[in-house]
Amino acid sequence: MPANFLHGVETIEIDRGPRPIRTVKTAVVGLVGTAPSGPVNTPTIVLSAKDAAQFGDITDPSSAGHTIPQALDAIFDHGAGTVIVVNVFDPSIHTVTGESGKTPIAASHIIGTVTAGGARTGLKALEDTYNLFGFNAKLLIAPGYATLTSVTTELIALAGKLRAMAIIDAPAGITVQQAINGRGPSGAINFNTSSERAILCYPHLKVYDPRTNAERLEPMSARLAGLICATDVERGYWWSPSNQEFKGVVGAERPITARVNDPQSEANLLNENGIVTVFNSFGTGYRAWGNRSAAWPSVSHPKNFINVRRTADVLHESVEYAMLQFIDRPINDALIDDIKGSVNAFIRTLIGRGALIDGACTYDPAKNPPTELALGHLTFDISFMPPTPAERISFESFIDINLLATLGGGQ
């Protein structure tokens, strides 16, 4: 019944039909560390090397001992990505050089806290970025500090909250055996996790340092983050970063034996234990090598593939954000059809891009009994499958003597 009396004509606009769903950003790095300058404990968007200058120049002696300038250089060497920087270094109270009377940066500064006034610092500041910028970081790094188990644990926990991947470095100076041992309870490093949100990296990489005109070691995490961003932009987030060449790398901390057909090579042994490493063979350059998160080998589900986990995140988060326009509308057949139509249109788009093999959103009345509908609760099913990477290619070879019959013009 009309809400008011009208003797005349009116037009009532009815919004029906599916709504477009916007894909969430994936090539976004959350970087926490120290810089000689720039905002302190304030999430700051950096889009280019020019923007990065506010946090210091790697050629400037004042950048020595700081992690953010090096990490930004590593990321932007790959030419793509958005970086949300959280600098925890306050020059008035902190030191990275042991300056007397000041506090050295510790794991607690990187992890951060919530102040009495409600302000977040360190890693915790990255929880504010959706409200600030409309997107979250999807690759979390803290180069130089992620080798600490306490920081590793917090990076993984935050990755779960943000539907991100935490890129974790092994400490410098360890052997291949120590890296593999670190996956178990008797290991002495920060690799004892089965999180599908963790990407474990070994070894450190060598890069040219213009400040010292010499090589220096740096954690792999920043280069891998930059490589993943570049892969997302150039090929798509459904591509694995494995077998993609690092930029700006002149060597590895220690040589890793790598042959594509040798299961006993060190690169393969590291991958077998859920560790991403570097592949360098004749004429290949230095490549990221490894498709799987730390969930492997504990979890055999395809979600242990880095690209499958990230593709699922994109689908889930994009759909969730798009549902805001449907929240609190009257539950009826039109609403159900609109939601299904919107999600299925998005899934078809992802299939067309190559991000999914197939998928569908359906409504099952058995999962939506009157008691749940009366509570305002709708349930939909989403089934989908991203493409898995061609990690292993096998050939079955046969020596067939019958082929000798073709000699001499035989048929």
Side-chain angles (χ1 to χ4, degrees):
M1 183 176 181
N4 60 321
F5 176 82
L6 171 66
H7 184 180
V9 179
E10 64 180 344
T11 299
I12 300 174
E13 294 185 359
I14 305 295
D15 292 333
R16 287 184 180 168
R19 306 290 193 275
I21 294 178
R22 185 177 65 174
T23 305
V24 298
K25 292 177 179 289
T26 59
V28 183
V29 181
L31 166 62
V32 179
T34 64
S37 58
V40 178
N41 279 312
T42 302
T44 305
I45 292 179
V46 175
L47 299 174
S48 65
K50 182 178 180 180
D51 291 345
Q54 64 186 299
F55 291 103
D57 187 330
I58 60 170
T59 64
D60 193 320
S62 67
S63 293
H66 290 280
T67 60
I68 288 175
Q70 291 183 10
L72 290 173
D73 178 68
I75 293 167
F76 290 121
D77 269 357
H78 294 83
T82 297
V83 187
I84 303 174
V85 176
V86 179
N87 169 30
V88 304
F89 185 82
D90 184 341
S92 66
I93 59 175
H94 294 142
T95 179
V96 294
T97 59
E99 185 179 352
S100 177
K102 293 188 177 181
T103 304
I105 293 293
S108 59
H109 299 112
I110 300 297
I111 294 168
T113 187
V114 180
T115 68
R120 292 181 174 86
T121 66
L123 284 169
K124 296 186 185 302
L126 292 175
E127 296 181 42
D128 293 332
T129 57
Y130 186 81
N131 285 343
L132 290 172
F133 311 128
F135 55 88
N136 285 320
K138 293 301 176 185
L139 302 164
L140 307 181
I141 60 173
Y145 297 97
T147 58
L148 304 172
T149 301
S150 57
V151 175
T152 293
T153 301
E154 292 297 326
L155 276 167
I156 294 171
L158 181 60
K161 291 181 180 179
L162 302 183
R163 282 204 179 103
M165 303 297 291
I167 308 180
I168 309 299
D169 296 296
I174 68 169
T175 65
V176 171
Q177 188 62 55
Q178 288 172 320
I180 293 173
N181 289 348
R183 299 292 278 127
S186 61
I189 67 169
N190 56 321
F191 274 13
N192 188 12
T193 175
S194 62
S195 173
E196 63 189 34
R197 298 287 176 188
I199 302 174
L200 307 179
C201 301
Y202 171 84
H204 279 44
L205 302 175
K206 290 181 180 179
V207 299
Y208 171 72
D209 189 340
R211 185 175 60 84
T212 61
N213 193 30
E215 293 179 355
R216 61 169 167 79
L217 282 180
E218 70 175 24
M220 187 191 295
S221 57
R223 297 267 162 193
L224 184 58
L227 177 60
I228 293 174
C229 286
T231 302
D232 284 4
V233 171
E234 295 168 9
R235 295 180 169 89
Y237 52 83
W238 53 93
W239 276 64
S240 171
S242 184
N243 203 17
Q244 310 294 327
E245 190 170 359
F246 285 116
K247 301 294 193 299
V249 172
V250 298
E253 177 185 10
R254 63 177 60 237
I256 303 295
T257 60
R259 286 179 294 277
V260 73
N261 59 350
D262 182 8
Q264 297 305 313
S265 69
E266 291 172 334
N268 192 70
L269 291 174
L270 289 162
N271 285 177
E272 186 178 357
N273 289 280
I275 301 170
V276 173
T277 188
V278 60
F279 185 100
N280 179 35
S281 191
F282 186 81
T284 65
Y286 291 90
R287 294 171 175 260
W289 196 252
N291 292 296
R292 301 176 188 259
S293 69
W296 177 264
S298 298
V299 178
S300 59
H301 191 280
K303 287 190 299 182
N304 70 65
F305 286 115
I306 294 167
N307 66 307
V308 171
R309 174 67 276 170
R310 297 184 72 228
T311 301
D313 289 342
V314 169
L315 173 59
H316 295 156
E317 193 165 333
S318 299
V319 167
E320 288 171 1
Y321 288 152
M323 290 302 104
L324 178 61
Q325 58 197 314
F326 296 116
I327 292 292
D328 296 333
R329 292 196 175 192
I331 293 178
N332 52 33
D333 286 337
L335 178 66
I336 293 170
D337 289 343
D338 287 353
I339 292 174
K340 283 195 305 180
S342 298
V343 177
N344 281 319
F346 182 58
I347 289 174
R348 287 193 297 272
T349 298
L350 296 185
I351 294 170
R353 291 174 180 170
L356 296 180
I357 302 298
D358 203 355
C361 175
T362 57
Y363 176 86
D364 184 353
K367 294 183 179 180
N368 291 273
T371 51
E372 286 299 300
L373 296 178
L375 291 173
H377 181 199
L378 283 169
T379 299
F380 295 85
D381 291 333
I382 297 179
S383 59
F384 67 100
M385 186 63 217
T388 54
E391 185 179 65
R392 181 172 185 164
I393 299 173
S394 299
F395 294 94
E396 294 186 353
S397 176
F398 304 91
I399 297 178
D400 186 354
I401 64 172
N402 294 317
L403 298 178
L404 294 172
T406 63
L407 293 174
Q411 298 298 318

